[in-house]
Amino acid sequence: MHYVNTLQGTNSKFELTRGNTYPTTALPFAMHTWTPQTGRNGDGWKYQYFLDSIRGFQQAHQCSSWTNDYAVFSLMPVTGELKVDQFGRAAKFDHKNEIAHPHYYKVTFDNQITTEISPSERGAHLRFAFPKKADSYLVIDGYTGMSEVTIYPEERKITGWVHNGRGLQENFKSYFELIFDQPFKAYGTWDNRTNEIKAGNLIASGKGMGAYIQFKDGVKVQVKSASSYISPEQASLNLERELGAAKNQEDTRKEARKVWNEHLGRILVEGGSDEEKATFYSCFFRASLFSRKFYELDKQGEPYYFSPYDGKIHEGYLYTDTGFWDTFRAQFPLNALLWPTMHGRYVASMLDAKEQCGWLPSWSFPGEQGSMVGNHAISLFADAWGKGIRTFDPEEALDAYFHEATNKGPWGPANGREGWKEYFTMGYVPYPKYREGTAKTLEYAYDDFCGYQLAKAVGNEHYQEVFAKQMYNYKNVYDPKVGFMRGKGQEGAWTPDFDPIEWGGPFTEGNAWHYLWSVFHDPKGLIDLMGGEKNFTAKLDSVFSVPNDIHVGTYGGRIHEMTEMEMANMGQYAHGNQPIQHMIYLYNYAGQPWKAQKWARTVMDRLYSWDENGYPGDEDQGQTSSWYVLSALGFYSVCPGTDEYVMGSPVFEKTTITLEDGKQFVIEAKGNSKENVYIQSAELNGEKFGKTYLRYQDIAKGGKLSLEMGSKPNKQWGTDLDARPFSLSQLK
C-alpha cells in the first residue's frame, strides 16, 4: 500500500485536467470519504495541487469536478485570532509537509498546526495538534446548503446535519456526530453567509450554519466523526461500531492500513520499476472507490438505506456515485472479476432504484441525474449474467430496459432516450433535431445488443426479436464516402460540410475520429463496412499518425478534452475521454494483435504516472484507472455484455490475481521489459494458447497464463480467424 499516492491527478484546473481527483482518504467503496479543501465552498475543484493553502477538511462524495459535491461539511483548525470564514481561516502549507495515502493523510501548516485523518467506512478519526501555548480553535463549516448544529459541552460532542448538493430529495439529510477527547474551553455557532459569530450559542439551524470550539492552548485533540443518511441514531451507531474501539488515531490508521493492504494485495505485481508499481497501485486505489456504498447496517447488522430516489427507507443494499457512460467500459468489468459478491448486490439494487424512481439509473449522484448519453444499465445486467453473476430477475431487467428504450425521462439525456421514436422507426437518431444524435445512435445500438444478449441467454424470444432489429443500427450512420460515422438529418441527408476533426455536433465530447470505433459488439461488422481488414487497420494506424489538430465546432471554444488530446501528441487518439479508450484493442479483431500490444504499452507508459499529473484527462469515477489496471494485467473489456477480456501486453513480469474465493490466476510474462512488449507465444494452464482473448471463467476458475515476450512482433501469433474475439457479425 505504500506505493499508493492519493495526490495522483490532483494538479487539475478547469482548462486542463490531469485527473480532476482529490487526495481521497477512505476505505474501499466507502460511503464517505475525506479530503483537504483548497477550493472555495461549492467549487468542484476542491483540491488543486498548485495552490498553497487549505481552508478545511471535508467529508466528501464528489465523483467529478463537473458535478460539485453533496452532503459536505468541513472541519478546520485555527490558531491565534478566531477566524471562521473560509478565506480568513485558510492556512498555508508546503507539499513537503504533506503525506497522502489511502489510510492516512497528514499535513503540517506553516503555522505549525498538524492535521491527521484516517478513515472508516462511514466516518473518520481526525487529530489536530496545535503549537505549544497557542490559541486552539476548531471551526465546523455547514458548507453551501441548509445545516444544523447542536453543541453538547459536557459530552464533548457536536451533532447536526447538512443538506447540500444537486437534485436531492427534500428530506435528504446527512446526519453527523463528532466526539472529542478534549474538553471545550469555549464554543458558539456562526453563519457562513454573514460570518456572524454567536459566542456561547448551543444550537443553530438554517442556511450555512456552523459551529466553533475553543480548546485549552496548545492542545492535541482527537475527534471521531461518523454520518448517516438515515437518522441521528444511526450516525451514533455508525460511530460506535466503526470507531468506538479505537483508543487513538493510530488504532484507526492501523486498521485502515490493514484493510487497504488486503484489498490491494488481491493483485500482486512483480517486476517492473518502482514508478510502474506506484502508478499501478495508485490507479488500483482510484478504481476501488466507486461505486460507493449508500447502505448502512442496523442494530442487528442488516443492510438498509435512505433512498435518494424516493426519499424513503428501504431494506437491502444500495450503491451510488457513478456515471455508467464512463464506467460500464472497464470499472464494472473489473469489479465483476475481483468483487463478484458486491457486483451482484449492485446490479440487483438497480432494479430497486427502478422501482423507487421509475427509471433505471444512468448517472447516480446520489439520485438519478441522467447525464451523458446511452442506457448502459443494460450493459451491467448483460455483463453480470454472462459472467455467471445472477442475483437479479432477468425478465424484470429486460422489462425495465425496454421501458428505458421507448420513453424519455424527466432528467438528463441518458434518462430514457432522446430520439427513441426516430431511432426505432428510421434506424438512427437524427441530427441536429437531437443534440449528439450520432453518438446516441451508436450507444443505443450497443445497448440494444446487450438487451438482445440477455434475452437470448434467458430464452426470451420477444425481446430477442425487438432488439435484434436495432443492434445493427450503427451501420445507418456510417458514410462510406468519407469513411466515418457522421450526422444524418431527419430527411436522411448527411449533415453538410463534414470535417472529421470538428468536435461536438453529432458527437459527445469528441469528433468523428473518436466515434468511428464505437461498435463494441460488432468490430467484424465495422470491418466489413470499411471495406475489409486492410482498410480497417490502415484507419486504426491513421488515428496515431494524422496531425493532432482541432476544430472546436459547436462547442464554440476549447474544452479541456481538446487540450489534453493535443498534449498527448498521439494524433487524434484522445485517451483522456472514454469514447476511444477501447480502440487500441480492435487490432485483435483484424489480425494484427501485435499493434494492440504495442499501443497498449505505449499509452500506459506515456500517458499515466503516479504523481500529481498522473492522468491524461478526467479520471471519471474509476474508469480511467480501471483501464490502466486491466491493461497492465494484459487485457481489456472491449465489449461488456460478453464474457471476454481482449488481450494486450502486461506491464509486469508476473502478476498474481487472488480471486474472491481464494483461487489464483497468474500471468507470467517471461522476458518482459519496456522494449519487450510483444507476445511471442502463450500457454494457458500448460497448453498452447493462440487466442487473443480470455474468457471470464478462464480467470475466475484460477490458473496460469504464460507469455514469452520479445522486442519484435510475432506476426503469426493470434492472427487466425478463430483466435479473434467476439463480433456479432461472426455469428451469421
Side-chain angles (χ1 to χ4, degrees):
M1 197 210 55
H2 68 278
Y3 283 114
V4 178
N5 174 29
T6 66
L7 296 173
Q8 182 192 30
T10 59
N11 196 27
S12 299
K13 53 187 176 181
F14 180 88
E15 300 82 6
L16 176 62
T17 297
R18 304 316 299 261
N20 264 341
T21 60
Y22 51 90
T24 309
T25 309
L27 294 186
F29 310 109
M31 191 168 86
H32 302 311
T33 71
W34 282 78
T35 181
Q37 174 193 357
T38 63
R40 64 179 63 198
N41 286 356
D43 190 350
W45 285 263
K46 58 174 68 251
Y47 182 99
Q48 293 174 297
Y49 189 86
F50 54 84
L51 298 179
D52 64 356
S53 66
I54 289 170
R55 66 190 69 201
F57 298 92
Q58 292 184 348
Q59 175 184 274
H61 311 88
Q62 185 170 291
C63 54
S64 170
S65 295
W66 310 101
T67 57
N68 301 110
D69 206 346
Y70 69 91
V72 179
F73 66 91
S74 69
L75 309 178
M76 183 64 191
V78 176
T79 191
E81 179 186 355
L82 174 62
K83 293 181 179 179
V84 292
D85 76 279
Q86 60 174 311
F87 303 101
R89 71 183 187 234
K92 298 278 189 180
F93 77 108
D94 191 298
H95 290 297
K96 68 182 180 183
N97 298 317
E98 186 180 35
I99 297 171
H101 294 304
H103 74 299
Y104 182 54
Y105 178 86
K106 180 181 180 181
V107 64
T108 299
F109 293 120
D110 294 356
N111 64 16
Q112 298 308 301
I113 296 176
T114 296
T115 297
E116 299 167 276
I117 311 173
S118 289
S120 71
E121 285 200 331
R122 298 167 184 85
H125 201 155
L126 302 94
R127 180 161 58 201
F128 304 101
F130 295 88
K132 290 183 178 180
K133 299 181 180 180
D135 294 324
S136 304
Y137 297 96
L138 187 68
V139 176
I140 297 98
D141 193 331
Y143 208 58
T144 58
M146 301 297 290
S147 59
E148 181 175 288
V149 290
T150 303
I151 304 169
Y152 301 87
E154 298 301 318
E155 300 177 53
R156 302 175 183 175
K157 180 171 78 172
I158 295 178
T159 64
W161 53 262
V162 291
H163 174 105
N164 51 62
R166 299 180 183 176
L168 302 172
Q169 294 288 327
E170 287 186 12
N171 65 335
F172 175 93
K173 289 180 180 178
S174 178
Y175 300 94
F176 63 83
E177 180 168 301
L178 308 172
I179 302 291
F180 299 85
D181 72 341
Q182 296 293 325
F184 301 171
K185 179 179 177 181
Y187 49 82
T189 62
W190 69 288
D191 183 334
N192 71 14
R193 297 167 301 166
T194 64
N195 298 321
E196 178 187 3
I197 294 173
K198 291 185 177 181
N201 197 38
L202 292 173
I203 301 175
S205 184
K207 191 168 185 179
M209 292 295 124
Y212 72 90
I213 315 162
Q214 184 178 9
F215 304 98
K216 65 182 180 181
D217 293 353
V219 74
K220 185 179 288 186
V221 59
Q222 298 184 94
V223 54
K224 295 177 180 179
S225 169
S227 298
S228 168
Y229 298 118
I230 294 171
S231 68
E233 294 76 19
Q234 184 65 42
S236 295
L237 180 59
N238 291 344
L239 191 149
E240 178 58 31
R241 179 181 281 136
E242 297 181 4
L243 296 166
K247 294 179 180 179
N248 51 44
Q249 206 271 344
E250 284 83 358
D251 284 351
T252 304
R253 188 192 320 169
K254 182 179 179 181
E255 181 61 28
R257 181 183 180 88
K258 178 183 175 183
V259 170
W260 272 113
N261 269 328
E262 290 178 356
H263 182 97
L264 297 172
R266 290 283 297 277
I267 304 179
L268 176 65
V269 299
E270 301 175 65
S273 66
D274 282 347
E275 289 80 7
E276 287 170 329
K277 288 188 177 78
T279 301
F280 178 83
Y281 283 112
S282 294
C283 284
F284 190 14
F285 158 73
R286 287 278 162 207
S288 302
L289 298 176
F290 306 96
S291 297
R292 292 198 181 95
K293 297 171 181 175
F294 208 74
Y295 66 88
E296 304 173 54
L297 302 176
D298 66 16
K299 291 180 181 179
Q300 288 73 43
E302 295 299 319
Y304 73 140
Y305 59 89
F306 168 89
S307 170
Y309 300 106
D310 67 3
K312 298 177 182 179
I313 306 297
H314 298 270
E315 296 179 353
Y317 298 95
L318 189 72
Y319 299 80
T320 188
D321 293 354
T322 191
F324 293 168
W325 185 80
D326 304 289
T327 52
F328 86 86
R329 304 163 195 265
Q331 209 271 332
F332 285 110
L334 178 62
N335 282 357
L337 197 58
L338 294 176
W339 329 107
T341 297
M342 181 187 72
H343 191 57
R345 291 170 177 169
Y346 188 98
V347 292
S349 76
M350 293 196 302
L351 292 175
D352 295 330
K354 163 66 166 64
E355 183 177 335
Q356 291 157 24
C357 79
W359 301 87
L360 289 170
S362 63
W363 186 290
S364 48
F365 186 64
E368 179 53 33
Q369 303 291 328
S371 302
M372 304 308 290
V373 300
N375 310 113
H376 299 313
I378 190 62
S379 172
L380 273 67
F381 287 127
D383 194 57
W385 196 269
K387 291 170 179 172
I389 301 171
R390 298 178 176 179
T391 54
F392 60 94
D393 181 345
E395 300 294 340
E396 186 180 349
L398 287 165
D399 287 342
Y401 175 61
F402 183 71
H403 171 263
E404 200 84 8
T406 55
N407 290 279
K408 176 66 193 81
W411 300 300
N415 176 222
R417 280 187 177 173
E418 291 182 335
W420 70 269
K421 290 182 181 179
E422 290 88 344
Y423 172 80
F424 270 96
T425 58
M426 299 165 54
Y428 65 96
V429 179
Y431 174 82
K433 181 177 181 180
Y434 296 99
R435 185 172 176 262
E436 303 173 344
T438 301
K440 290 183 170 81
T441 301
L442 295 169
E443 308 254 359
Y444 296 168
Y446 162 70
D447 291 333
D448 284 348
F449 159 75
C450 291
Y452 169 84
Q453 191 82 337
L454 181 58
K456 182 180 178 182
V458 300
N460 186 314
E461 295 182 1
H462 169 67
Y463 281 129
Q464 282 186 71
E465 184 179 348
V466 169
F467 298 125
K469 297 175 182 177
Q470 314 301 325
M471 59 189 177
Y472 293 103
N473 278 353
Y474 68 88
K475 297 180 179 182
N476 298 329
V477 289
Y478 179 78
D479 181 359
K481 291 183 179 178
V482 299
F484 288 96
M485 306 292 178
R486 63 184 294 190
K488 183 183 278 189
Q490 182 79 9
E491 305 304 320
W494 296 113
T495 304
D497 303 319
F498 175 74
D499 180 356
I501 65 170
E502 182 178 305
W503 286 57
F507 305 114
T508 303
E509 296 178 358
N511 65 28
W513 277 105
H514 309 146
Y515 277 89
L516 174 58
W517 315 107
S518 291
V519 187
F520 315 101
H521 57 298
D522 197 15
K524 175 63 166 61
L526 183 59
I527 290 168
D528 293 342
L529 276 183
M530 295 174 67
E533 292 177 359
K534 184 177 180 181
N535 289 347
F536 183 79
T537 54
K539 196 80 163 193
L540 286 169
D541 294 343
S542 296
V543 171
F544 300 108
S545 63
V546 297
N548 60 344
D549 296 338
I550 287 164
H551 293 161
V552 298
T554 55
Y555 285 104
R558 278 182 173 265
I559 58 174
H560 68 92
E561 288 90 352
M562 300 173 186
T563 303
E564 290 141 19
M565 189 191 81
E566 277 187 332
M567 289 181 61
N569 197 25
M570 295 176 69
Q572 290 291 319
Y573 184 71
H575 189 83
N577 209 14
Q578 279 64 49
I580 205 169
Q581 286 182 350
H582 68 294
M583 165 245 155
I584 286 168
Y585 291 90
L586 296 183
Y587 281 110
N588 289 290
Y589 297 76
Q592 295 188 355
W594 65 89
K595 290 183 179 177
Q597 297 155 30
K598 168 193 169 182
W599 285 114
R601 292 289 288 274
T602 300
V603 169
M604 286 187 279
D605 189 51
R606 285 181 53 178
L607 301 187
Y608 287 80
S609 71
W610 59 271
D611 63 12
E612 65 274 10
N613 297 314
Y615 295 97
D618 283 343
E619 197 284 320
D620 282 330
Q621 314 106 56
Q623 163 58 27
T624 305
S625 293
S626 296
W627 185 96
Y628 185 93
V629 171
L630 287 173
S631 293
L633 299 180
F635 46 77
Y636 184 70
S637 50
V638 171
C639 185
T642 70
D643 65 349
E644 294 180 0
Y645 294 82
V646 179
M647 295 289 290
S649 174
V651 168
F652 301 99
E653 293 170 56
K654 185 179 180 182
T655 302
T656 303
I657 304 170
T658 301
L659 301 156
E660 195 171 65
D661 60 3
K663 295 174 183 174
Q664 292 187 330
F665 186 76
V666 178
I667 302 153
E668 190 174 61
K670 299 173 185 175
N672 201 5
S673 68
K674 284 185 179 290
E675 294 75 32
N676 293 353
V677 303
Y678 297 105
I679 297 172
Q680 306 298 300
S681 63
E683 291 184 351
L684 181 62
N685 300 325
E687 296 184 4
K688 186 177 179 181
F689 184 71
K691 297 186 184 300
T692 59
Y693 61 91
L694 291 164
R695 294 193 180 278
Y696 178 84
Q697 288 301 327
D698 290 336
I699 303 168
K701 69 185 179 184
K704 185 175 183 180
L705 176 66
S706 298
L707 307 174
E708 292 284 347
M709 308 299 290
S711 61
K712 295 181 179 179
N714 177 352
K715 296 185 179 181
Q716 280 70 52
W717 183 84
T719 59
D720 294 342
L721 287 176
D722 64 359
R724 301 177 189 187
F726 171 86
S727 280
L728 188 58
S729 291
Q730 287 178 330
L731 301 179
K732 289 186 172 182

